């Protein structure tokens, strides 16, 4: 708690808020000639609550509320290990064949810090790529998955009616699907990109940003102000995506 701003204690037995808590711990194993002992590396607290009217699929939403790695273990890949374990736990609840609501249908995050957002986006990109293997269910229809920027379909805008079902498969929000998709496309733009490819990619991302920030952009007094604001949003997103690919 000393490392988490505004952190609160949680009770693993309290269900008064209509949900329940779980904690995922990561330990380091130390071995000696005769025994083992363990030291704490980090943990994530997970709040689970039922969402019976969630569309397109009702079930349990798992919310990551706190995440902590102790200083000696930071920047060593342990956050990714914890994040992937959370996804593995969620996938293990895929028992909804009888129509019950015990399946975890979405993993989201409560007020993530910028560094945690970058980790989340990186993990979602890797989960999207892993879904393309022969033994997995692809998040997205094949029309979105070309890696050849010379084809017009490479810059296809991912629409909500495809992102929402993808989120169900991946147990992530549809916005996270769109982010992972845009990073996936940027990853397959060969450096240095041609001006035409850069323009098409910029337009693809901006179409989503226009929808996401419609109210704020609509409040701009002139067309020039709106274009400047949109370019500012894109530049920030583009920088974040490049950072993810460098991780």
């Amino acid at each position: 708690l000393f490392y988490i701003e505004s952190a609160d204690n949680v009770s693993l037995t309290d269900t008064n808020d209509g949900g329940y808590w779980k904690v995922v711990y990561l330990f380091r194993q130390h071995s000696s000639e005769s025994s083992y002992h363990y030291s704490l590396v980090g943990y994530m607290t997970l709040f689970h609550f039922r969402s019976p009217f969630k569309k397109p699929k009702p079930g349990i939403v798992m919310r990551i509320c706190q995440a902590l790695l102790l200083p000696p273990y930071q920047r060593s890949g342990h956050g990714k290990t914890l994040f992937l374990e959370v996804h593995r736990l969620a996938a293990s609840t895929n028992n909804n064949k009888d129509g019950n609501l015990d399946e975890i249908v979405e993993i989201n995050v409560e007020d993530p810090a910028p560094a945690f957002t970058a980790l989340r986006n990186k993990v979602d990109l890797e989960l999207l790529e892993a879904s393309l293997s022969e033994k997995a269910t692809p998040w997205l229809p094949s029309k979105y998955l070309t890696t050849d920027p010379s084809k017009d379909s490479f810059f296809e805008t991912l629409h909500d009616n495809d992102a929402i079902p993808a989120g169900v498969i991946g147990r992530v929000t549809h916005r996270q699907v769109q982010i992972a998709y845009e990073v996936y496309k940027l990853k397959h733009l060969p450096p240095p990109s041609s001006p035409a490819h850069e323009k098409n990619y910029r337009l693809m991302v901006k179409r989503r940003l226009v929808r996401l920030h419609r109210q704020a952009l609509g409040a701009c007094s002139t067309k020039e102000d709106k274009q400047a604001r949109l370019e500012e949003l894109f530049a920030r997103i583009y920088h974040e995506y490049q950072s993810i690919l460098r991780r």
Side-chain angles (χ1 to χ4, degrees):
L1 292 178
F2 293 109
Y3 295 98
I4 304 178
E5 184 178 356
S6 303
D8 296 317
N9 291 315
V10 299
S11 172
L12 299 181
T13 59
D14 184 10
T15 59
N16 291 331
D17 292 331
Y20 59 92
W21 291 90
K22 288 187 177 181
V23 183
V24 176
Y25 296 99
L26 181 64
F27 293 94
R28 178 183 179 184
Q29 184 185 76
H30 306 267
S31 60
S32 61
E33 293 182 358
S34 58
S35 64
Y36 295 97
H37 64 280
Y38 299 87
S39 58
L40 180 66
V41 172
Y43 66 85
M44 286 186 180
T45 61
L46 311 171
F47 185 68
H48 301 65
F49 59 94
R50 296 185 182 275
S51 184
F53 303 108
K54 183 175 178 57
K55 295 181 179 180
K57 188 176 184 178
I60 294 176
V61 174
M62 176 194 286
R63 178 166 295 160
I64 301 173
C65 294
Q66 297 171 347
L68 171 67
L69 288 173
L70 295 177
Y73 303 107
Q74 293 174 3
R75 300 187 180 277
S76 300
H78 300 306
K80 176 182 171 181
T81 298
L82 279 169
F83 222 130
L84 291 175
E85 179 62 18
V86 168
H87 275 275
R88 190 196 67 78
L89 288 172
S92 70
T93 67
N94 188 14
N95 59 357
N96 205 24
K97 297 179 181 178
D98 298 326
N100 58 65
L101 296 179
D102 292 334
E103 181 182 0
I104 294 173
V105 296
E106 182 179 286
I107 300 169
N108 60 36
V109 183
E110 181 181 42
D111 298 329
F116 193 84
T117 296
L119 171 63
R120 179 190 190 186
N121 293 342
K122 177 69 172 179
V123 169
D124 288 344
L125 169 65
E126 294 186 5
L127 291 172
L128 169 61
E129 292 177 322
S131 79
L132 306 182
S133 68
E134 293 182 358
K135 297 182 179 180
T137 302
W139 286 13
L140 298 171
S142 59
K143 68 178 182 178
Y144 292 110
L145 300 177
T146 179
T147 57
D148 183 357
S150 66
K151 297 182 178 179
D152 292 339
S153 58
F154 181 91
F155 300 101
E156 182 83 21
T157 298
L158 178 58
H159 299 288
D160 286 348
N161 58 352
D162 288 315
I164 291 173
V168 172
I169 296 172
R171 294 180 175 82
V172 298
T173 67
H174 75 278
R175 182 180 175 184
Q176 284 301 120
V177 174
Q178 291 168 327
I179 291 172
Y181 171 74
E182 291 169 0
V183 180
Y184 174 80
K185 291 298 185 179
L186 181 59
K187 182 178 179 179
H188 288 92
L189 276 179
S193 300
S194 70
H197 289 166
E198 291 181 356
K199 178 181 178 181
N200 288 334
Y201 182 80
R202 187 184 303 110
L203 291 174
M204 182 189 76
V205 175
K206 283 184 175 181
R207 282 192 285 267
R208 179 181 69 85
L209 294 176
V210 167
R211 298 197 305 270
L212 181 63
H213 300 280
R214 181 178 291 110
Q215 185 173 359
L217 292 172
C220 294
S221 57
T222 66
K223 182 178 179 180
E224 290 73 19
D225 288 342
K226 180 177 180 180
Q227 290 175 338
R229 176 57 177 158
L230 184 58
E231 185 60 32
E232 178 184 335
L233 291 169
F234 172 79
R236 186 180 66 192
I237 289 288
Y238 189 73
H239 175 73
E240 291 174 359
Y241 288 177
Q242 289 180 314
S243 298
I244 290 169
L245 294 176
R246 288 194 297 264
R247 291 172 69 95

